[in-house]
């Protein structure tokens, strides 16, 4: 088995809480979010090297069969999400936006990639990963709609100085 987004978040939270003092939640999550995406990218490369978490079998136009390398696709997309997070952090430092953006961006990525993974599609033609991705995107959007207006105001104040 491999680590999921939720597993790596719990791992990083428990480590930081053990070594760190009290930190506001948004700042704390901004602190761990970039490393979370980097860790997920490395984990997916490990999945590829291990041969797990593979994609569906496909046959090309010449009749050659293979599998969709979802692990490498996800690792590359995780790095892209990491770069987006760094761009957001550059503009909205310490506003608590990074983890909700991960929930939305990674949720969308995971939902799409699950169509190409060799996982059971149990309920309404979707896998468990797709259902968790939908929940993640919804929660991320709700949290972003609550945090984003304050972050925009803080950014405008910071630019005036």
């Amino acid at each position: 088995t491999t680590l999921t987004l939720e597993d790596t978040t719990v791992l990083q939270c428990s480590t930081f809480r053990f070594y760190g003092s009290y930190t506001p939640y948004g700042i704390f999550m901004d602190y761990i979010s970039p490393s979370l995406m980097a860790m997920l990218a490395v984990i997916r490369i490990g999945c590829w090297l291990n041969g797990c978490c593979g994609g569906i079998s496909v046959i090309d136009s010449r009749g050659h069969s293979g599998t969709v390398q979802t692990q490498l696709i996800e690792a590359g997309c995780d790095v892209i999400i990491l770069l987006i997070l760094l761009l957001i952090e550059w503009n909205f430092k310490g506003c608590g936006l990074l983890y909700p953006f991960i929930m939305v961006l990674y949720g969308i990525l995971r939902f799409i990639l699950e169509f190409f993974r060799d996982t059971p599609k149990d309920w309404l033609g979707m896998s468990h990963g797709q259902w968790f991705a939908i929940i993640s995107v919804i929660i991320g959007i709700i949290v972003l709609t609550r945090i984003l207006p304050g972050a925009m105001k803080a950014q405008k104040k910071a630019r005036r100085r």
Side-chain angles (χ1 to χ4, degrees):
T1 62
T2 60
L3 294 173
T4 63
L5 176 68
E6 294 80 16
D7 297 332
T8 53
T9 303
V10 169
L11 177 66
Q12 286 188 340
C13 290
S14 61
T15 305
F16 188 78
R17 282 295 181 197
F18 181 71
Y19 289 112
S21 60
Y22 174 75
T23 304
Y25 180 75
I27 294 171
F28 170 69
M29 294 308 287
D30 279 355
Y31 177 76
I32 68 166
S33 293
S35 60
L36 175 68
M37 290 314 299
M39 188 175 6
L40 279 172
V42 171
I43 288 169
R44 292 305 166 222
I45 292 170
C47 290
W48 178 70
L49 292 171
N50 192 35
C52 63
C53 307
I56 57 175
S57 296
V58 292
I59 300 174
D60 67 9
S61 60
R62 292 175 276 179
H64 298 106
S65 64
T67 58
V68 177
Q69 300 298 319
T70 56
Q71 312 95 321
L72 295 179
I73 295 168
E74 184 174 337
C77 291
D78 289 344
V79 171
I80 292 170
I81 292 173
L82 170 63
L83 295 174
I84 292 169
L85 292 178
L86 294 175
L87 184 63
I88 293 168
E89 178 63 16
W90 182 270
N91 291 308
F92 297 96
K93 187 174 277 305
C95 292
L97 293 174
L98 297 187
Y99 194 73
F101 266 108
I102 285 178
M103 293 178 73
V104 173
L105 296 174
Y106 186 76
I108 292 169
L109 169 67
R110 194 66 187 191
F111 182 82
I112 293 168
L113 281 180
E114 283 291 319
F115 285 111
F116 301 101
R117 287 190 66 214
D118 189 21
T119 54
K121 311 295 190 259
D122 296 334
W123 194 54
L124 295 177
M126 292 192 287
S127 69
H128 295 274
Q130 287 173 309
W131 286 107
F132 285 121
I134 290 170
I135 293 167
S136 174
V137 169
I138 291 170
I139 292 171
I141 289 171
I142 290 170
V143 172
L144 279 174
T145 56
R146 296 187 70 196
I147 294 175
L148 201 53
M152 298 294 278
K153 288 179 187 176
Q155 182 192 30
K156 285 181 184 178
K157 284 182 184 179
R159 287 190 178 181
R160 287 184 197 154
R161 294 180 193 173

